[in-house]
Amino acid sequence: MTKSVVGAILAVAFRLAAASYVTALPPGAVYIDPLLYNVVGANYTKWRNSSVVGFNPTNTTPPFIQVFDPSFLDITGPSATIRKIASNPGFAFAHTAPIYVSDLNLVFFANTGSVKLGYNSWYNNSFVGMINMTEVDMALASTTGNVNIQVQTLNLSDDVQMVSGGTGPYKGDLLFVTGGRALLPPSIVRVNPSPPYNTTVILDNFLGRQFNSLDDIKILPGTDIMFFTDPAYGWLGDWRPEPMLPSQVYRFDSSTGQVRVVADQFVHPNGIAFAPDGKTAFITDTGIFGGFLGTNQTLPATIYQFDVDPTTQSFTNRRVFAYADSGAPDGIQLDTKGNVYSGCADGIDVWNSKGTLIGKFYINSASGQLIFTKSGLVILSETEMYVTNIQAHGMTLATW
């Protein structure tokens, strides 16, 4: 039997196996067989000349679940749906910094970075809000459709300017990074998740120099060491002065006060995450999006992967983990199995631990961030929030 015949038999076997999986798709989900789209021909009429246009060859009405590999069904489970839980068409209230406090069943978030309808600027601070997931669960149980739960506003201290990323709980508090505003410095700040939401700034400079505009933060698993990104989006968004430092990734040990750079050579380092064992780091580079400089589709829309040095905790062995086909990967989270989720221009894209795109929660609009909760995966999508009741669980982000 020739190699070509064997290859053809294996291909047919794979297709038959995939077909058996797709019969158990969640409601409304669509299976996209990559083999059907490897060649589309010169007469193809749906070329995507803009990366912000999502890949939806079946013209399915969003939101829906796209399955590119049968393994994605292990994440979704058989009954996952995507349902809207909050909406405000006139205000982009949900863009970034999601933190889930399981004891309170609350999700906290902010809107810094919302280009349209965000209303934050050199003169105006960003919005920080929260949504009660118990109220969400009760409302969803009473209907088969979407709901619109009231989002509450947090009135925080003036020390907190432009919340742009978050993680935790960290020793009982929300841990936010801020981008700063005008001449007010970017910072790392702890916020009590209960009224009156007392705040404590724990870092606002690099040896006397202001950061550019901090964007995201995570704690290295098994430690209480903070790692955060610092792109120039404050300046590019017209709410911070011109940057005075490279766009870098930093390590901060709050017990000693030591701050140092662990990775550089990015265009715009954005989201940050670690593998559950803490041995691998992920950084998203949203270089494609240049604020007032415009969009350059030849710049990175990339997730980079690093080894975390066990002694120095510097990031080493940089390599490309994945390139996003729609927009750029923004916020990033991992589940307990090591699958990687990131907010892109079409929704939430999901790659397995080897960097293979296996599925999407297709919203058809920019989704900057996401967070795992008891109710499922919560998706921040500017003027809307969604939840999808998947069976995967997020890795632990709490530090005590």
Side-chain angles (χ1 to χ4, degrees), residues 8 15 24 40 46-47 132 161 175 213 268 272 280 325 362 364 377:
R15 295 286 294 278
V40 295
K46 298 179 180 179
W47 296 110
N132 188 316
Q161 296 287 332
L175 188 65
S213 48
H268 302 309
I272 182 170
T280 307
D325 72 283
Y362 195 97
N364 199 36
L377 187 70

Side-chain angles (χ1 to χ4, degrees), residues 175-261:
L175 188 65
F176 286 130
V177 289
T178 76
R181 182 175 60 83
L183 302 181
L184 301 173
S187 64
I188 302 177
V189 57
R190 292 176 61 169
V191 178
N192 190 308
S194 299
Y197 310 112
N198 293 328
T199 63
T200 304
V201 176
I202 60 175
L203 180 70
D204 69 0
N205 72 96
F206 177 66
L207 301 176
R209 301 171 67 181
Q210 287 195 16
F211 295 106
N212 298 327
S213 48
L214 305 189
D215 196 278
D216 203 4
I217 186 168
K218 287 292 194 309
I219 305 297
L220 179 65
T223 77
D224 60 0
I225 307 298
M226 306 172 190
F227 291 77
F228 58 92
T229 59
D230 186 34
Y233 276 125
W235 174 60
L236 295 169
D238 289 324
W239 41 270
R240 279 285 290 158
E242 188 172 351
M244 301 297 288
L245 287 167
S247 293
Q248 305 176 127
V249 180
Y250 294 82
R251 172 191 185 274
F252 175 48
D253 184 343
S254 61
S255 68
T256 66
Q258 292 289 336
V259 186
R260 61 182 177 84
V261 175

Side-chain angles (χ1 to χ4, degrees), residues 364-386:
N364 199 36
S365 65
S367 301
Q369 259 286 14
L370 60 139
I371 194 71
F372 287 90
T373 73
K374 295 175 184 176
S375 307
L377 187 70
V378 171
I379 300 169
L380 308 186
S381 189
E382 306 299 335
T383 60
E384 299 168 331
M385 293 179 68
Y386 296 85

Side-chain angles (χ1 to χ4, degrees), residues 74-147:
D74 295 331
I75 290 174
T76 64
S79 58
T81 58
I82 304 174
R83 299 171 70 181
K84 191 182 303 181
I85 59 173
S87 176
N88 186 341
F91 180 43
F93 64 95
H95 176 78
T96 192
I99 303 174
Y100 177 58
V101 181
S102 60
D103 291 347
L104 303 175
N105 208 19
L106 299 174
V107 173
F108 297 82
F109 53 89
N111 79 332
T112 306
S114 298
V115 177
K116 297 179 180 179
L117 303 176
Y119 304 115
N120 42 58
S121 68
W122 186 279
Y123 303 101
N124 297 296
N125 199 1
S126 61
F127 167 84
V128 180
M130 67 178 179
I131 190 168
N132 188 316
M133 295 306 296
T134 300
E135 294 181 8
V136 169
D137 292 341
M138 293 174 61
L140 291 177
S142 68
T143 179
T144 58
N146 298 320
V147 298

Side-chain angles (χ1 to χ4, degrees), residues 287-302:
I288 182 176
F289 295 131
F292 67 75
L293 297 178
T295 298
N296 184 339
Q297 295 188 130
T298 67
L299 290 177
T302 306

